[in-house]
Amino acid sequence: MAQKPTTTMIAREANVSRASVYAVLNSPANTNIGVSEEKRKRILKVAQQLGYVRNATAQSLKTGKYRSIGVIAQSIAHAQFYRFFNTFDEQACKNGYFTFLTSSEFDCKREEQKLNAILEQGVDALVIGLLHHEKNYETLKKYYQRNIPVIILGNVLGRNQQAMLAGFDEAAGALKIAEYLYASDLSQLAYFKLFNEEDLQGTGFDARANYFTAACNQVFGDCSIDMFSCSKNDLRHAGDAFAKQFMKKYNDRRLPQAVICSNDVLAFDTINAFTHMGIKVPEDISVIGYDNLNIAGSNLELTTLDLPYEQLAESCWNLLQPFLDDNAPETKPEPVMISPQLLIRETSPCINQHENELVLSQ
């Protein structure tokens, strides 16, 4: 078996000192002071020929830095998290950091396992779309004890008061939808909510539905909202599952005026299911989603609440960067809550933009 290349072997082959090799290969960029350009090129050439790969673990023992950040999503099946991660990873790469992406897929035990595995590998920071606030607090406490900065994506920290918080102002977003429905004279409503989860505590689909209900009560005073939900087993065919529930309930009753879906994927699936049942959107019923995703193959542009995941990712990086630069603030940064905008498109009525303070899509 061939011997693993070392800095000693490179120094011997390049006829330089080990200190020179270390300065070129193992130090941050632009710090190889005292090494000539000719010598630097020779060292790099020999290293490439020998197939040398820097030992990040050994480097971290010397510097205390891993140059890596762990990112745990609730699920990587959702396109909106891709928008977040793509922007966050770009910021990390620009600053010399590598990101580890994984997901809990809405499973508490799996989330705990991922948290422990990332900690064992070693990271300089953690970003997590935390689902089980209370159950995994003891695991997250290990990060706090090691002074590893943690950002929770959502609206509520629970016991994780040592973490930073970044997310969307879901209450403000729900209020914008309710105000639009009121201005459009749409008061008979149905809400399609993905599976129930008792541990969400301020984030996720249960909380989103609760914010919407509270907003409608505030705006309408008296508003009829029929709630529908599905189980995890129905997620792959949620639109069909909801439409069947919907038609069973309204088989001999007048349809509601609008259906609000807890995300855009469900909204498009619902529109397709309605179409197959002979229900026209928006003529017979309006449909509104959340997230503002570009989904190919749709015949209609969806009215949706735009959640700017790219802006959220940039905000998370701005929160982390002082900690990564060893310039942590004396007090924990204030939560970052980004206000969504409502984009009114083809799946619901247009209203007079000059008479209502609502953001219309272009």
Side-chain angles (χ1 to χ4, degrees):
M1 181 180 293
Q3 185 178 354
K4 181 180 178 181
T6 65
T7 54
T8 301
M9 293 169 61
I10 295 171
R12 183 171 61 247
E13 291 292 326
N15 195 26
V16 297
S17 66
R18 286 184 60 193
S20 296
V21 174
Y22 180 83
V24 173
L25 299 180
N26 291 320
S27 294
N30 301 321
T31 61
N32 47 329
I33 300 172
V35 179
S36 68
E37 182 65 14
E38 184 277 329
K39 186 182 291 186
R40 186 185 72 84
K41 290 181 179 179
R42 189 163 76 248
I43 291 170
L44 290 174
K45 182 178 180 180
V46 172
Q48 184 178 21
Q49 290 173 342
L50 294 177
Y52 174 80
V53 177
R54 188 181 68 169
N55 188 328
T57 301
Q59 181 72 4
S60 67
L61 292 174
K62 296 177 182 178
T63 65
K65 295 285 187 180
Y66 294 92
R67 310 299 297 181
S68 62
I69 300 170
V71 181
I72 303 180
Q74 292 178 4
S75 174
I76 56 177
H78 298 296
Q80 59 265 40
F81 195 82
Y82 167 78
R83 291 168 54 194
F84 171 89
F85 180 75
N86 191 46
T87 301
F88 184 82
D89 186 55
E90 182 179 356
Q91 293 293 326
C93 288
K94 286 180 180 178
N95 290 273
Y97 280 83
F98 177 80
T99 49
F100 292 97
L101 172 64
T102 186
S103 69
S104 65
E105 297 303 324
F106 304 104
D107 184 272
C108 179
K109 187 64 178 178
R110 181 169 173 173
E111 183 177 277
E112 180 186 7
Q113 292 171 344
K114 298 299 180 70
L115 284 168
N116 282 318
I118 289 174
L119 191 62
E120 290 172 4
Q121 291 295 318
V123 291
D124 299 310
L126 175 73
V127 179
I128 178 171
L130 193 64
L131 183 63
H132 304 276
H133 288 75
E134 303 301 318
K135 290 183 179 179
N136 281 328
Y137 167 71
E138 292 299 327
T139 306
L140 278 165
K141 191 161 67 172
K142 300 174 186 177
Y143 286 80
Y144 309 142
Q145 291 169 341
R146 299 187 188 190
N147 293 320
I148 298 173
V150 175
I151 294 180
I152 290 176
L153 301 176
N155 301 79
V156 176
L157 289 173
R159 287 194 289 168
N160 292 282
Q161 294 300 312
Q162 290 171 269
M164 293 175 283
L165 190 66
F168 300 114
D169 190 340
E170 295 270 7
L175 186 60
K176 290 179 180 180
I177 297 177
E179 289 172 342
Y180 161 69
L181 293 169
Y182 182 82
S184 302
D185 197 26
L186 302 176
S187 58
Q188 302 300 312
L189 311 173
Y191 191 99
F192 287 4
K193 178 182 65 174
L194 293 173
F195 64 90
N196 293 304
E197 174 53 69
E198 62 181 6
D199 296 320
L200 286 168
Q201 300 197 15
T203 185
F205 300 128
D206 261 9
R208 185 168 286 180
N210 292 337
Y211 285 130
F212 178 73
T213 300
C216 287
N217 289 336
Q218 177 182 338
V219 172
F220 287 91
D222 182 19
C223 179
S224 173
I225 306 176
D226 289 328
M227 285 283 174
F228 297 82
S229 63
C230 73
S231 68
K232 291 183 181 181
N233 295 331
D234 291 327
L235 285 181
R236 289 177 177 265
H237 309 286
D240 289 333
F242 277 113
K244 289 177 182 178
Q245 290 184 50
F246 184 81
M247 292 309 297
K248 183 178 181 180
K249 179 166 186 175
Y250 294 103
N251 184 41
D252 55 354
R253 295 171 52 192
R254 182 179 177 182
L255 294 177
Q257 296 167 296
V259 171
I260 295 81
C261 298
S262 56
N263 67 21
D264 283 354
V265 174
L266 176 58
F268 281 113
D269 286 347
T270 297
I271 291 172
N272 289 334
F274 279 166
T275 299
H276 291 150
M277 293 177 175
I279 301 173
K280 297 179 181 179
V281 176
E283 292 86 352
D284 298 330
I285 194 168
S286 296
V287 175
I288 299 173
Y290 276 76
D291 294 330
N292 189 27
L293 299 181
N294 293 319
I295 298 180
S298 173
N299 295 324
L300 293 173
E301 291 188 358
L302 180 68
T303 294
T304 185
L305 194 70
D306 179 28
L307 304 181
Y309 286 92
E310 293 83 1
Q311 183 181 347
L312 178 62
E314 291 176 356
S315 297
C316 286
W317 181 260
N318 291 336
L319 284 175
L320 282 179
Q321 192 160 32
F323 294 89
L324 300 174
D325 294 342
D326 295 323
N327 191 29
E330 293 183 2
T331 58
K332 189 178 75 172
E334 291 294 318
V336 174
M337 289 291 117
I338 300 172
S339 182
Q341 297 296 324
L342 181 62
L343 304 179
I344 302 170
R345 296 177 175 143
E346 296 176 332
T347 61
S348 67
C350 184
I351 60 175
N352 191 324
Q353 186 177 9
H354 299 291
E355 296 179 1
N356 299 277
E357 295 182 358
L358 295 169
V359 177
L360 304 185
S361 62
Q362 299 299 319

